[in-house]
Amino acid sequence: MYLRGLVPGRRAVFALAIGALSGWLAALAGMPLPWMLGPMIGNTLAAILSLPVRGPDRLRPLVIPVIGVMLGSAMTPEMLDAAPRYMASFALLVPFLGLTALASYAVYRRIGRYDPVTAFFSAMPGGLNDMLILGGAAGGNEKRIALAHAARVLLVILFVVLFYGTALDVSSGEVARGTAASALTARDWALLGAAAVAGVPLGKILRLPAPQITGPMALSGALHLAGLVTVAPPGFLIIVAQVVIGTVIGCRFIGVSAAQIGRDLSLGAVSSVAMIAVAVAFAAALTAITGLPLSLSFLGYSPGGLTEMSLLALAMGQDVAYVSVLHLVRIMLVIFAAQPVFKATRRRDQTGTNPPRSES
C-alpha cells in the first residue's frame, strides 16, 4: 500500500532503481545491451504489474547527447585508414539497407497493420535510440518502435552466437564502449563535454535529424578524427545514460496489456528473420566478389548493434576495424537518410497515387 502512495517524483526514482537493478542482472546474465534492455524489460514488467513507476522524462534530453558522443568516439583515424580496403562492402551497403528496410516494413505494415509512421521507423535498420527519437518526433508509436528494435538486437545476437557456435563475451558489458573515468585527462573531459553540450544547438542550427544525438555525434567524430581526443566517454556515464533511456522506454508501457506486448515482440521476431535472410544473401554475394570470409561479411552486414557486433568479431578473431566501420557507416546512413526518405514517401502517399490503408 505504501508503494502505491508514492508521489510522482518518487515513482521516477523507484523506476530508476528498478532499471539499475535490472541492468545489473542483465549484465550478469550476459545479455546484449544489458544496461539498455535490462531497464526496459524490468520497467515494462513493472508497468504490466501496475507498480508505481513513472519515466524520468526530464532526464532523457540530458543523457541522449552522451550516446551521441559515444557513437562519435568510434570514428578514429585508424578505422578510416582501413576503409579503402573494403570499397565493395560500402558499395553494397546502400542496396542492402534498402532491401532490409523494405522487407521489415512489409512485415510491420502488411502483417502487423502498423500505421505507416510506426512501420517505417520500426523497420529502419538503425539504432534503438536514434530511431525512437526520429519516430517519436514524426508521430509514431514509440512503444512499438522500441519493442521492434529491442527484438531485432536480441534475435540477431542470438542467431550469430548459435550459428557460429561461439559465446558472446560481455564481461565488460557496455563499458567496453567507454573509458575508465580515471584514465581521462582534464582535456578529455573538456572536449567530450563540449561535444555533448555544444553538439545539440549545433545540430539544430544545421537542421540535422535528431539533433540531440547527431549533433554531439558529429562533433565527437570530428574531434576523434582530428586526434584531439582519443578516448570514449566515461563508461559509468554511458551506463547511466542507458539506464535512464531504458527506464523511460519501459515506463511507456504503463497501461499496455501483456498480450499487446507479446504481439509486437512476435512481429519483431518475424521482421528480424527477414532482415537476417537479406544479410546472409548479401554476405554471400560479398564473399563471392571479394573472397572475404563469410563470417566476417555477415558480421559486417548483420542488423545488430555496433558494440555487440564488434565484440563478436573480437571473440571470433575477425577484423574488428572492418566490422566497426561498416556498422558505424550503417548507423550514420540510417540516421541521416531516414527522415528525408520518410518525408519523400509521405509526400508521395499524400498525392493519392498509393494512399496508405487506414488503421483499425
Side-chain angles (χ1 to χ4, degrees):
M1 294 299 293
Y2 171 75
L3 287 177
R4 291 185 178 277
L6 289 176
V7 297
R10 292 181 179 177
R11 289 183 179 184
V13 172
F14 182 49
L16 284 170
I18 291 176
L21 176 61
S22 301
W24 178 68
L25 292 174
L28 287 180
M31 178 183 291
L33 281 172
W35 298 104
M36 171 76 71
L37 297 183
M40 191 186 85
I41 294 170
N43 278 285
T44 296
L45 293 175
I48 293 173
L49 296 173
S50 299
L51 295 180
V53 293
R54 177 171 294 180
D57 296 294
R58 293 182 180 179
L59 295 178
R60 187 167 178 254
L62 299 179
V63 300
I64 287 177
V66 176
I67 302 298
V69 174
M70 179 194 74
L71 290 174
S73 68
M75 298 177 64
T76 63
E78 291 76 17
M79 291 173 64
L80 291 184
D81 288 342
R85 293 183 290 160
Y86 309 112
M87 295 310 297
S89 303
F90 290 113
L92 290 177
L93 189 57
V94 172
F96 161 72
L97 292 175
L99 287 178
T100 299
L102 283 174
S104 183
Y105 181 82
V107 171
Y108 288 113
R109 189 76 176 107
R110 302 302 177 186
I111 300 177
R113 300 291 180 179
Y114 283 13
D115 65 88
V117 180
T118 302
F120 182 89
F121 287 99
S122 296
M124 289 297 102
L128 188 153
N129 289 322
D130 33 89
M131 291 303 100
L132 187 64
I133 294 169
L134 289 173
N141 187 317
E142 293 186 341
K143 299 181 181 73
R144 286 182 163 177
I145 294 172
L147 275 175
H149 290 283
R152 171 174 60 84
V153 171
L154 283 169
L155 291 171
V156 168
I157 294 296
L158 179 62
F159 173 83
V160 174
V161 170
L162 292 178
F163 184 80
Y164 290 108
T166 183
L168 177 60
D169 180 8
V170 291
S171 57
S172 57
E174 285 299 292
V175 181
R177 295 298 306 139
T179 304
S182 59
L184 272 73
T185 65
R187 174 175 167 169
D188 293 331
W189 280 101
L191 290 175
L192 293 175
V197 174
V200 177
L202 177 64
K204 292 179 179 178
I205 292 173
L206 297 177
R207 300 194 177 190
L208 298 177
Q212 299 96 332
I213 191 170
T214 54
M217 182 177 71
L219 269 185
S220 175
L223 290 172
H224 283 83
L225 287 175
L228 296 176
V229 61
T230 59
V231 296
F236 77 90
L237 283 182
I238 294 174
I239 288 177
V240 168
Q242 292 186 95
V243 168
V244 170
I245 295 172
T247 298
V248 169
I249 294 170
C251 289
R252 289 197 175 99
F253 295 97
I254 295 173
V256 181
S257 68
Q260 181 63 54
I261 293 175
R263 176 180 179 273
D264 289 342
L265 283 176
S266 297
L267 283 171
V270 176
S271 169
S272 297
V273 170
M275 297 174 88
I276 289 171
V278 175
V280 170
F282 269 81
L286 182 63
T287 294
I289 295 171
T290 65
L292 289 173
L294 179 60
S295 57
L296 179 61
S297 299
F298 178 75
L299 285 174
Y301 280 138
S302 59
L306 183 152
T307 301
E308 289 68 41
M309 293 300 102
S310 298
L311 285 172
L312 273 175
L314 181 65
M316 296 168 60
Q318 300 289 348
D319 189 337
V320 178
Y322 168 78
V323 174
S324 299
V325 167
L326 272 186
H327 282 280
L328 180 61
V329 172
R330 170 180 63 84
I331 291 170
M332 293 178 66
L333 284 174
V334 173
I335 288 176
F336 287 106
Q339 199 170 57
V341 171
F342 171 73
K343 288 181 178 179
T345 57
R346 292 295 288 165
R347 282 197 297 268
R348 183 198 64 189
D349 288 340
Q350 289 168 0
T351 62
T353 56
N354 187 22
R357 304 166 80 177
S358 60
E359 302 301 318
S360 56

